[in-house]
Amino acid sequence: MVTYKEVVEAVVELFRKAETELPEDVVEALRNAYEREDNEVARSILKAIIQNIDTARKLKVPMCQDTGIPIIFAEVGRELCLDFNLRDAIVEGVWRATKEVPLRPNAVHPLTRENPGTNVGMHIPHITFDIVDGDGLKLTVLPKGAGSENVSDLKMLLPSQVNQIERFVLEVVKNAGGKPCPPIVVGVGIGSTFDGAAKLAKKALLRNMTEMSEFELSLLEKINSLGIGPGGLGGKATALAVLVEMGHCHTASLPVAVNIQCWANRRASLFLR
Ligand code: SF4
């Protein structure tokens, strides 16, 4: 049995963790990038990022002033019985996290730019619900900064343009340059629908970065050969990882989405039962 209070508190704690402690696979990738780098400027930027991460964890403060837009994935066990509205509990958790962590109030009305100050508004927090086997509830938070989200892109390729996927991914990274605070993580969604490809690209960012396929590693190598480097000031580490998720698509389409994430690849999960 999962209670409303447990969900609210879990969401607050997940945001606290995601904002103050970068997952171990991300920290390891940053340390490896530092070891491999021989460009002095790039090394000093990576060193500053690693020190910043350590300080945020020790002092329990957010690692970046942009605490992101709240994105949540809820995997709901089909045998789980809830006597409350799960969305309401998650929304209250975000509202409380904004006050208690605290999170910067980033969510504004798209046209008036009016800010409710709570990170709660129309369709925000952005929540994806999935029904899965079991009797538990897995919650994952992915606070997403604007610097990287703003340079993400999507293209509806034709099925005959399958050999242009790689070129499009490289083009997006090249156009982004130093804006998304590299070294970046590149989430790629191939297939599905217009919106489905974007969702796949975002979901890809939740994966462990140390487990990349040959296709992903070869894309990573090509991205790093662009030489954008940490902070956009040149160097070997433009990206830390490329993570690709695929979905079947219409025979007449080939959607490709590229969701760029900054070095602050913040994510945290927990399981309630
Ligand atoms: S892109 Fe990432 S690291 Fe850069 S300011 Fe935004 S959240 Fe912070």
Side-chain angles (χ1 to χ4, degrees), residues 64-66 145 147-148 180-181 262-264 266:
C64 181
Q65 37 76 35
D66 181 356
S148 56
C181 299
C262 54
W263 63 261
R266 298 164 287 194

Side-chain angles (χ1 to χ4, degrees), residues 200-217:
L200 286 173
K202 183 142 274 120
K203 265 196 158 176
L205 296 175
L206 300 177
R207 270 182 41 206
N208 186 315
M209 289 168 35
T210 56
E211 291 160 14
M212 275 180 275
S213 67
E214 269 182 40
F215 174 56
E216 292 166 335
L217 284 167

Side-chain angles (χ1 to χ4, degrees), residues 19 49 52 63-68 104 143-149 178-182 184 260-266:
E19 299 288 354
I49 290 173
N52 177 59
M63 65 193 77
C64 181
Q65 37 76 35
D66 181 356
T67 51
R104 192 172 75 179
K144 190 75 170 59
S148 56
E149 196 73 351
K179 289 188 214 125
C181 299
I184 54 174
I260 304 283
Q261 173 68 301
C262 54
W263 63 261
N265 189 17
R266 298 164 287 194

Side-chain angles (χ1 to χ4, degrees), residues 58-81:
K58 282 184 197 138
L59 301 181
K60 297 193 184 312
V61 294
M63 65 193 77
C64 181
Q65 37 76 35
D66 181 356
T67 51
I69 197 90
I71 297 170
I72 292 130
F73 295 87
E75 290 173 46
V76 188
R78 65 187 174 87
E79 292 164 50
L80 179 67
C81 186

